[in-house]
Structure formats: structure tokens, C-alpha cells
Amino acid sequence: MRPFENVVAEHGATVLRVCRAVVGPDDAEDAWSETFLSALRAYPDLPADANVEAWLVTIAHRRALDVGRANSRRAVPVASPPDRPSSRADPTARFPDLWAALQRLPRKQRMAVAYHHIAGLPFAEIAALLDNSPDAARRAAADGIKTLRKLYPEDETA
């Protein structure tokens, strides 16, 4: 079995991209750390023929959800309440970055887009992560991309 630090070096970037897609850039490093702590504990029992990347992405998905849940339960102190609702509540507001647009997608669409287009996972593996069929995972990713294209109608790279 390979040393665990080699596994971290090889798959660390993919795990970080998955964590960013699930919880956003602010909490991604916490989820990344939690992922590799969990993986380190389980690594000695991992079968030799296991797909290590898929195994780590599954752990990252679960740890990122845990971090997101924990953060959503914490109260955030503010000096005074806002005078008006957040611009995120306004569906016509222009999105300054991709993360804000991804947040607007339904959960399964956001996850399917992130896992397929960011982490590069096949739809069969995405289906297992999202508890649905490969066809449903493919549809969720396609619907998510369609929505993102509506949110960003102009291709700024052209």
C-alpha cells in the first residue's frame, strides 16, 4: 500500500475542488482537512484494488456536508440588523462570481455539476454519491449547466 502522504499529494487538489463546490471557498479548507483526517483513519483497511480517488471524493462530499451543516447551525453575531434584505434574496441580482451562481442551483444539480465538471467523475459514481440513477445524475448536471448558462448569458472568454 502506498504511503498516505502520496495519496494526499496526488488527490489533494481534486478533494479541495469538491469541497469548494459543496461548501464554498470559505469553508473548503476545513472540509479538506476533515476529509483527510477521516481518510487517514480508514486508509489501512482500504482494499488494494479500491479506486482511491472515488473513495476520497465520497469522503469529501460527506465531510463537506458535515462542515456546511455545522456552520449553518452557528449564530453569526452582527452589530445591527441590516436595513434591507440581502441581494441574494433578489432573483434578478447579477451574480459577481460562479460560486454565487452555483449556490442558486438546487442541491442535486449543484453537486452533479461540481462532481462531473469540476472533479471529473463519471455519472455512475455521481449517482452513487447523490443516491439516484446515472441518468438522473446526467439530467441534474445538464439542468444545472442550462441554468448557469441563463445566469451567464454572455461568454466573456470569447
Side-chain angles (χ1 to χ4, degrees), residues 14-33:
T14 300
V15 169
L16 185 59
R17 286 192 302 268
V18 169
C19 293
R20 283 181 181 152
V22 176
V23 294
D26 296 334
D27 297 319
E29 289 183 15
D30 290 339
W32 186 90
S33 297

Side-chain angles (χ1 to χ4, degrees), residues 108-109 112 123 132-146:
K108 286 198 176 185
Q109 286 181 16
F123 290 113
N132 60 16
S133 69
D135 288 337
R138 183 183 324 273
R139 180 81 257 158
D143 289 346
I145 292 295
K146 181 178 178 182

Side-chain angles (χ1 to χ4, degrees), residues 2-12 36 43 52 55-56:
R2 297 186 309 170
F4 190 72
E5 59 254 5
N6 292 355
V7 172
V8 174
E10 183 178 343
H11 301 291
F36 282 108
Y43 188 65
V52 177
W55 175 69
L56 286 170

